[in-house]
Amino acid sequence: MTEEFHRIRRLPPYVFAEVNKAKAAARVRGEDIIDLGMGNPDTPTPPHIVQKLVETVADPRSHRYSVSRGIPGLRRALAGYYARRFDVKLDPETEVIATLGSKEGLANLSAAITSPGDTILVPNPSYPIHQFGFIIAGASVRSIPATPDEEMLRALDRAVRHSVPKPTALIVNFPSNPTAYVADLDFYGELVALARRHDIWIMSDLAYAEIYFGDRVPPSILQVPGARDIAVEFTSLSKTYSMAGWRMGFAAGNPRLITALTRIKSYLDYGAFTPIQVAAVAALSGPQDCVAEIRTMYRERRDVLIRGLHAAGWDVPSPEGSMFAWAPLPPAFREMGSVDFSKLLLKEAGVAVAPGLGFGEYGEGFVRIGLVENTQRLRQATRAIRQFMIRHGVTPPPARPETGPRADAAADAVADADA
Ligand SMILES: Cc1ncc(COP(=O)(O)O)c(C=O)c1O
């Protein structure tokens, strides 16, 4: 009776635990930690959505068990979003299901379609449930590169030819957590063609559909003709409407996959609390200015963070989407690895980040920095990082360069120092 349970044995110790422990200890000591280690939106849900919840909760008829797959109006609202945003027409009866956050849907669909020993293809690094949903269900995971380009397509082709048994499913996530990579429709087209050729299901995680900063607006894989034959896509209200705690997400696409998820969920849950579902309809079908405002907020934070890091002498690519920067360790710290670097940054700069190793072995050499504090706190964080870098012998760029892309960064650092 002392041996660990089979499924629990398949879950490795949580890599983030060490950094989280150090973070908690610093807080107990009364230190002010700027926590950029989480993916938890820090701004409130727009008031009209909260108002709809409050109204509905006052109605006693809303207190009963709800509908596991989502009330019809909610599934229609999601179909309306896909029509407006992607020009994709979905049948709310057969091609849409509401989930208790997209994470629950990802986990339960993984369980629904997996036989023990199946081979599943998962990008590495990735958001942990992408591989662990399948691992808990008894599958073997084969890692593929996380970049939406030829490298991933070549790795998929090799995986199809050499994996035994042949892969049954592939999961992708763009804009990505943790890498912030964004895919375009041509890439999805190639992915769908490959998956259709080899009878592989695709699960696409589009949780950051609306968190993008440039001209490349994230597409849906369901825009690819024929995608619906093999693909299902997950979306979420968590980031789009700052509703992470409400637990409301969706799966849409292939009717066979939607039916499988519906069946599993009908055994497991009674659906989200009805007032949450009604408020989710208000989110999807009501005024959308709040979505643009949230996007602008993250873009401003992104700009402040990246400028501040450049001014600190840390070259971090500016993310095109998601709510994260995926930062290669500065060369001076590369040897120590992402976990020790995260602990050192916490201890000496009071800034918490997530070690890349926590997202898979190929995440080593990076840390994930979340855009989850306001611009003032982000400025405070990058100033502390600048001092940290200087203490460790890194020379930040000159404070007032004549011209060039770093000019803004250094100017910002000077302005920040005065702020
Ligand atoms: C890529 C990705 N997918 C899914 C989720 C889970 O979102 P939800 O709140 O809808 O369960 C997250 C949360 O951070 C995420 O980053």
Side-chain angles (χ1 to χ4, degrees), residues 229-359:
D229 294 346
I230 43 98
V232 75
E233 187 160 73
F234 291 85
T235 47
S236 167
L237 301 193
S238 295
K239 315 296 156 64
T240 306
Y241 300 97
S242 287
M243 290 174 68
W246 298 55
R247 314 310 302 127
M248 184 49 64
F250 302 90
N254 179 270
R256 199 171 147 211
L257 293 178
I258 297 296
T259 303
L261 182 55
T262 308
R263 181 84 178 270
I264 285 265
K265 279 175 62 61
S266 73
Y267 279 83
L268 296 177
D269 68 61
Y270 289 111
F273 185 36
T274 300
I276 291 180
Q277 297 197 43
V278 173
V281 176
L284 286 167
S285 306
Q288 298 298 302
D289 330 12
C290 55
V291 177
E293 282 161 20
I294 288 170
R295 182 182 306 130
T296 302
M297 173 195 74
Y298 283 120
R299 184 191 290 124
E300 283 169 5
R301 291 178 176 189
R302 187 257 332 232
D303 291 343
V304 165
L305 177 77
I306 298 299
R307 270 207 302 273
L309 292 175
H310 285 183
W314 189 356
D315 242 327
V316 175
S318 184
E320 258 191 87
S322 85
M323 51 196 280
F324 308 105
W326 184 235
L329 298 191
F333 303 92
R334 224 157 257 169
E335 286 300 303
M336 67 172 50
S338 61
V339 174
D340 283 350
F341 175 75
S342 302
K343 287 200 296 201
L344 190 69
L345 197 66
L346 180 73
K347 180 160 170 260
E348 297 191 2
V351 177
V353 297
L357 187 62
F359 303 96

Side-chain angles (χ1 to χ4, degrees), residues 21 57 82 87 116 191 203 216 234 237 295 309 386:
K21 217 166 86 189
V57 85
Y82 264 81
D87 199 17
L191 210 58
M203 285 163 59
R216 280 215 293 174
F234 291 85
L237 301 193
R295 182 182 306 130
L309 292 175
R386 191 167 190 271

Side-chain angles (χ1 to χ4, degrees), residues 39 100-104 106 127 130 173 175-177 205 207-208 235-239 244 247-249 324:
L100 306 172
S102 59
K103 190 176 187 186
E104 178 269 322
L106 285 158
Y127 179 58
H130 292 165
N173 163 225
S176 159
N177 174 9
D205 178 349
Y208 297 98
T235 47
S236 167
L237 301 193
S238 295
K239 315 296 156 64
R247 314 310 302 127
M248 184 49 64
F324 308 105

